[in-house]
Amino acid sequence: MARTNLLYAQSGGVTAVINATAAAVIAAARERDDAIGTVFAARHGILGALDEDLIDTTALGADDLGALSHIPGGAFGSCRFDLDPPDRNPAQYDRLFAVFAAHDIGHFLYNGGNGSMDTVAKISAAARARGYPLVCVGVPKTVDNDLEGTDCSPGFGSAAKYAAVSMLEAGIDIASMASSAGRVFVLEVMGRNAGWIAAASALAARTADDPPHIILMPEAPFDEDAFLAAVDATVKRLGYCAVTVSEGIRRADGTLVMEQDHDRKGHVQLGGAGQCIARLIHARLGHKHHWAIPDYLQRAAGHLVSAVDHAQACAVGRAAVEAAIAGRDCVMPAIRRLSDDPYRWDIVFPDVAAIANLERRVPAHFIRADGLHVTDAAKRYLRPLIEGEVYPAFAAGVPDYRRPRLSSVPRQLAAYIP
Amino acid sequence: MARTNLLYAQSGGVTAVINATAAAVIAAARERDDAIGTVFAARHGILGALDEDLIDTTALGADDLGALSHIPGGAFGSCRFDLDPPDRNPAQYDRLFAVFAAHDIGHFLYNGGNGSMDTVAKISAAARARGYPLVCVGVPKTVDNDLEGTDCSPGFGSAAKYAAVSMLEAGIDIASMASSAGRVFVLEVMGRNAGWIAAASALAARTADDPPHIILMPEAPFDEDAFLAAVDATVKRLGYCAVTVSEGIRRADGTLVMEQDHDRKGHVQLGGAGQCIARLIHARLGHKHHWAIPDYLQRAAGHLVSAVDHAQACAVGRAAVEAAIAGRDCVMPAIRRLSDDPYRWDIVFPDVAAIANLERRVPAHFIRADGLHVTDAAKRYLRPLIEGEVYPAFAAGVPDYRRPRLSSVPRQLAAYIP
């Protein structure tokens, strides 16, 4: 295969380690300058590719790449944008391949989740249909851990660690303040359809009485009475109760808890699931209630990255470059678990077309029979993913995230008008 | 002075470093076994003293104290409870001094904020009035930084560091996702009457365009139109805007923003200030909006402790023991700043009676003229307080907070019936 350039882009919600993948892609491609010329990055994912808004990574030195590997967020910008089906909007693909051709791009690496894998599959099929010589590789990334075809997704381990550490620390705080009135703390974490991050908060506990006492996941329908009985029993036993809730929990009828809560006068109470659950407890059981919603903090916590997650984020980046050079079109380097303890894993290459747009949810055998916590099997799965610490350098009291200067590539085409 | 025992207790909202103070108190008292016998701790603050619910710290080894120094929360339990005035409830003081006498307590160290200093002043006055030989020392602690008589309060530096790091990381995340639609992120931090933690989030920024772009503090009346104009200008310039808001911001008429927001149908929208501010922006400017409420996470983050804060927490603990042995009744060891850069400080001993129940708010010269950010003077004050990192040991992916086993002291008195 002729030596061509490589285009890398980031897509979807960003993570604490997506830039570790980016840095690994660039470093691995440089080592193979027999096969790969320049490494370009698109600004804001596929939007930058369409807009010919490209960055030349050549100017990034080894120090820049080392720093990049520990910066949260998406250094090249991300987007939430799906390509149209090729038959419905061929002009969109005309443009994309015109950009690829103008910059001699023969390898395209797209770093994202389920939707991004769909983009990979579409571009791969369109390239084949047009006879454009391109190898498309998907690179996994999602804090939600809902990608199929991989044992876990880079980004999840660090979000999981954040959830476990946060529940551990807030749990110690609330235990200090326990009083006869009863106190309840609710931690709302990300997860609209999959409760993986909520499940991971279970790793805060060493004993059965440690927080979190209850974990609510979207996979287990929310039963208000059973939940309140469990809260009540916990408060009676310990004086307090700590609950983790996924933002997307639903009742048995499918309605979201976060949208449907009403106060006594019938007014809709807007707010997240955590707030609704905390208020429900207060209204029905009378306990003092606090809730936390870390929101972006949980997926951007570069100061609390899991070493395993960071290593896997680097590994999928390197493996993606190797797959691209080997001409393995439309695959995704994925984590395969070889053993739980000691934790061992390697990289496999499932077909992207078979996993795009699927959503891997927490399986039934990871959820306790009453739907209010996880099983030991879940903890065995989750535990290794949060192992180890990778600290960023600090300066003046905060992480020294030195975002690299990005050199734009001169445009060669006319402006894109979608 | 005769060798007597020392009673230490924790009060009010706990912090990430209050146990560092506790460990320092115990270690310092042991070094002075010429003057101090046993170090007792009361469970749940003054409530434990009244209830004769005491812990004998003798069994804690050096390893236990080393571990204790890095555990967030209150290891001996805290409370929110004010003693009655001595003339209104003399029986309460009869009980307290009966407990003190039963356990030969000649030194009482109370670790808390404004309200706790009032307790110190009351007990000190009552002891003198009764002729009970007691030295009472207040030990400062509050994430709110609102104690008078000290340049800063142990606990604040770590909460401030948490706010700055969280804003830095979430700001990088939101910048990655910037789009033409405009995106807004709101971080709500603690502070009902004092905006110190919100102000500290300013330390996330290196340049004028870095988050946080706007800081709302209770000391500056909330002007909706001026605020929205600033958000709009920031989004037009950068594509996004990050805002820090104290939970207790108020309008010029004194009403809390968090309580008084109404939706279009006139329903009261309950929820925190962060949620109200984010919704207001969405409703008025149409931007995508996210908000985070770290709640307890910001005061319990033992994994992100400021080294300066930890050192000061230890220093006030040691100084309190020295003051007690020296017979300096009704004082509080306080931080005195000697210089900003390099940061130098020492310990002074203001009179507790002069500072109890006061509330130190962010001064006018720390708030920008438009009320929407802090001044350089504020940053000079704040910067040293978040300096340095003290990491806890980790095990299995989370901090290895080994809470010590606590040995209860056998009760010698009849049960307390208030």
Side-chain angles (χ1 to χ4, degrees), chain A residues 44 72 74 78 161 169 172-173 176 206 270-271 275 279 290 292-293 295-296 299 301-303 389 394 397 400-401, chain B residues 44 72 74 78 161 169 172-173 176 206 270-271 275 279 290 292-293 295 299 301-303 389 394 397 400-401:
Chain A
H44 293 298
S78 188
K161 188 181 188 83
E169 294 181 334
I172 291 174
D173 185 309
S176 332
R206 286 212 182 125
L270 304 174
Q275 192 175 358
R279 281 189 184 142
H290 265 248
I293 307 176
D295 192 61
Y296 288 151
R299 73 180 200 193
H303 75 278
E389 291 70 50
F394 275 67
D400 190 18
Y401 296 133
Chain B
H44 293 297
S78 188
K161 188 182 188 84
E169 295 181 333
I172 291 175
D173 185 306
S176 333
R206 286 212 182 126
L270 304 175
Q275 192 175 357
R279 282 189 183 141
H290 265 248
I293 308 176
D295 192 62
R299 73 180 199 192
H303 75 278
E389 292 70 50
F394 274 67
D400 190 18
Y401 297 133

Side-chain angles (χ1 to χ4, degrees), chain B residues 334-375:
Chain B
I335 311 296
R336 178 173 63 176
R337 182 180 300 229
L338 302 172
S339 68
D340 289 327
D341 186 14
Y343 180 53
R344 289 170 50 243
W345 52 277
D346 64 4
I347 301 275
V348 291
F349 295 89
D351 181 0
V352 162
I355 59 181
N357 292 320
L358 297 177
E359 201 170 43
R360 192 175 69 132
R361 308 182 75 194
V362 178
H365 72 284
F366 280 6
I367 302 172
R368 205 170 63 189
D370 65 2
L372 296 173
H373 217 289
V374 300
T375 61

Side-chain angles (χ1 to χ4, degrees), chain A residues 221-239:
Chain A
F222 178 64
D223 176 337
E224 187 171 309
D225 291 332
F227 167 69
L228 289 170
V231 172
D232 198 42
T234 306
V235 171
K236 287 204 168 100
R237 197 170 73 251
L238 304 173

Side-chain angles (χ1 to χ4, degrees), chain A residues 206-218:
Chain A
R206 286 212 182 125
T207 74
D209 277 347
D210 286 344
H213 305 106
I214 298 173
I215 299 175
L216 301 175
M217 294 162 278

Side-chain angles (χ1 to χ4, degrees), chain A residues 97-373:
Chain A
F97 287 103
V99 172
F100 285 2
H103 298 278
D104 194 22
I105 288 162
H107 311 91
F108 177 62
L109 270 53
Y110 208 37
N111 200 174
N114 302 312
S116 311
M117 294 308 140
D118 182 62
T119 300
V120 169
K122 279 176 179 157
I123 296 174
S124 167
R128 281 196 300 269
R130 288 159 186 254
Y132 183 98
L134 185 74
V135 186
C136 277
V137 178
V139 195
K141 166 247 57 160
T142 168
V143 295
D144 291 329
N145 204 38
D146 59 353
L147 261 167
E148 279 289 356
T150 184
D151 182 69
C152 61
S153 295
F156 169 66
S158 296
K161 188 181 188 83
Y162 182 96
V165 172
S166 296
M167 176 49 80
L168 171 61
E169 294 181 334
I172 291 174
D173 185 309
I174 191 172
S176 332
M177 303 295 292
S179 69
S180 53
R183 302 178 75 95
V184 170
F185 173 73
V186 179
L187 175 68
E188 178 189 314
V189 296
M190 288 180 165
R192 289 190 186 273
N193 298 309
W196 290 108
I197 299 177
S201 72
L203 301 177
R206 286 212 182 125
T207 74
D209 277 347
D210 286 344
H213 305 106
I214 298 173
I215 299 175
L216 301 175
M217 294 162 278
E219 290 84 352
F222 178 64
D223 176 337
E224 187 171 309
D225 291 332
F227 167 69
L228 289 170
V231 172
D232 198 42
T234 306
V235 171
K236 287 204 168 100
R237 197 170 73 251
L238 304 173
Y240 74 107
C241 180
V243 179
T244 309
V245 54
S246 297
E247 61 186 332
I249 58 164
R250 291 172 185 272
R251 299 185 181 78
D253 64 5
T255 54
L256 279 167
V257 171
M258 60 185 288
E259 282 179 358
Q260 298 276 328
D261 215 39
H262 290 74
D263 68 16
R264 287 172 189 172
K265 291 175 188 162
H267 300 156
V268 173
Q269 294 209 351
L270 304 174
Q275 192 175 358
C276 290
I277 290 296
R279 281 189 184 142
L280 173 69
I281 294 167
H282 179 68
R284 293 277 302 273
L285 302 176
H287 302 312
K288 293 189 178 180
H289 60 307
H290 265 248
W291 66 89
I293 307 176
D295 192 61
Y296 288 151
L297 277 51
Q298 74 199 277
R299 73 180 200 193
H303 75 278
L304 195 57
V305 159
S306 149
V308 165
D309 191 30
H310 190 269
Q312 293 180 338
C314 294
V316 297
R318 293 196 152 264
V321 171
E322 288 157 22
I325 293 170
R328 301 182 73 167
D329 184 53
C330 205
V331 298
M332 176 187 85
I335 311 297
R336 178 173 63 175
R337 181 180 299 229
L338 302 172
S339 67
D340 289 327
D341 185 16
Y343 179 53
R344 290 171 49 243
W345 54 277
D346 64 4
I347 300 276
V348 293
F349 295 89
D351 180 1
V352 162
I355 58 180
N357 291 320
L358 297 177
E359 201 169 43
R360 191 174 67 131
R361 307 182 77 195
V362 178
H365 72 285
F366 280 6
I367 301 172
R368 204 170 63 187
D370 64 2
L372 296 174
H373 216 289

